Amino acid sequence: MDNILIIEDEEKVSEILKAYLEKEGYCVYCTTKGLDGIKLFDTIKFSLVILDLMLPDISGEEVCNVLRKISEVHIFMLTAKSTLEDRIEGLNLGADEYLVKPFSPRELTARVNALFRRININKSETKVYNNGDLEINYDKRTVKMRGVEIYLTPNEFDLVQILSASKGKVFTREQLIERIMGIDFQGFDRTIDVHIKNIRKKIEEDSRNPKYIITVTRIGYKFGGE
């Protein structure tokens, strides 16, 4: 059974989400404070954190930063901040999804189910890409550059995995969004671009002249790696 941690200061919201998710078979833990959520995260293995940004003690952004330093757990951010800049900032902090309040508990539950379907599919694959410099282990979900492990968020890794597993194949942004976030994703078109920009900073020697994640003008992206 997958464990989910909800860090949300509105107890009624937490209770509703908990009821929906437990009905789907997940084990759900709730806390109203960021620091309590971090302590709980240290004691229990979680597969997903649903994180509100407006918390009474520390900000959700701070919680996200802490979790990203110690874990690759999937993080769904919940917030009333809805501007494009806010969404980009959330993704840059390491969020995998960004849901704007008010939202439907059914929609969030559908996104959670889609996430775990993708996780289970990825678990069934055992493959390694290695060109001598860049090594991608699909089973262990690790990326190394010349033997040094590179940290990627879950969505960043999924992007690298999809592109590198089909080297040379061009994927549109819509195809990548559907493969990573699910067909019902209601985010914004620049989601993939933000993730690609962050990946390039981590694995490319020159992010302005990328070797691995190649832009195909007016279409999308492909994996080079020559």
Side-chain angles (χ1 to χ4, degrees):
M1 182 181 294
D2 293 299
N3 294 326
I4 298 175
L5 172 60
I6 299 176
I7 307 177
E8 161 66 64
D9 66 332
E10 296 184 51
E11 292 187 11
K12 288 185 178 180
V13 173
S14 292
E15 290 172 1
I16 292 172
L17 294 180
K18 187 174 190 292
Y20 270 82
L21 292 170
E22 287 184 338
K23 187 177 181 180
E24 296 293 316
Y26 302 109
C27 184
V28 183
Y29 297 76
C30 300
T31 180
T32 59
K33 295 182 178 180
L35 292 175
D36 290 342
I38 292 171
K39 291 178 181 177
L40 196 57
F41 189 86
D42 285 335
T43 60
I44 298 172
K45 181 176 177 59
F46 289 101
S47 301
L48 170 65
V49 176
I50 298 174
L51 174 64
D52 183 33
L53 295 187
M54 303 296 289
L55 299 171
D57 51 353
I58 63 174
S59 69
E61 288 91 343
E62 291 177 90
V63 176
C64 185
N65 278 328
V66 171
L67 297 185
R68 276 287 165 257
K69 289 178 181 178
I70 61 176
S71 171
E72 296 182 0
V73 67
H74 287 76
I75 298 176
F76 284 10
M77 280 188 176
L78 309 179
T79 178
K81 301 177 182 179
S82 59
T83 68
L84 177 62
E85 289 73 19
D86 290 325
R87 291 169 181 255
I88 291 175
E89 181 183 357
L91 294 172
N92 284 335
L93 284 172
D96 297 291
E97 293 223 24
Y98 192 102
L99 281 78
V100 178
K101 294 181 176 180
F103 57 87
S104 164
R106 291 177 60 190
E107 177 190 359
L108 183 139
T109 302
R111 293 185 184 279
V112 170
N113 287 337
L115 167 68
F116 284 108
R117 283 196 299 270
R118 297 195 301 272
I119 291 175
N120 291 332
I121 289 173
N122 289 337
K123 283 180 179 178
S124 67
E125 298 179 0
T126 303
K127 189 176 178 182
V128 175
Y129 169 89
N130 192 337
N131 71 345
D133 288 330
L134 179 65
E135 177 186 322
I136 307 167
N137 189 308
Y138 302 145
D139 187 40
K140 295 181 179 179
R141 292 182 65 84
T142 59
V143 175
K144 294 182 180 180
M145 179 62 70
R146 299 187 183 91
V148 178
E149 187 163 348
I150 306 297
Y151 169 75
L152 297 181
T153 69
N155 274 0
E156 289 171 0
F157 182 88
D158 288 344
L159 261 175
V160 170
Q161 179 178 4
I162 290 168
L163 292 171
S164 62
S166 300
K167 184 178 176 182
K169 178 180 178 179
V170 179
F171 289 86
T172 66
R173 289 171 177 80
E174 291 75 18
Q175 287 174 323
L176 293 171
I177 286 175
E178 181 177 334
R179 292 279 296 273
I180 294 171
M181 284 99 173
I183 194 169
D184 296 324
F185 179 69
Q186 299 296 319
F188 57 105
D189 292 342
R190 288 185 60 191
T191 297
I192 293 298
D193 296 335
V194 173
H195 286 313
I196 292 293
K197 180 180 178 181
N198 291 334
I199 292 168
R200 284 174 172 165
K201 289 179 181 178
K202 296 176 181 180
I203 70 172
E204 302 282 3
E205 291 187 9
D206 181 359
S207 60
R208 295 185 179 181
N209 185 29
K211 173 181 178 181
Y212 297 106
I213 310 297
I214 310 299
T215 299
V216 181
T217 306
R218 297 182 182 178
I219 302 178
Y221 298 97
K222 68 177 182 178
F223 192 84
E226 297 297 341

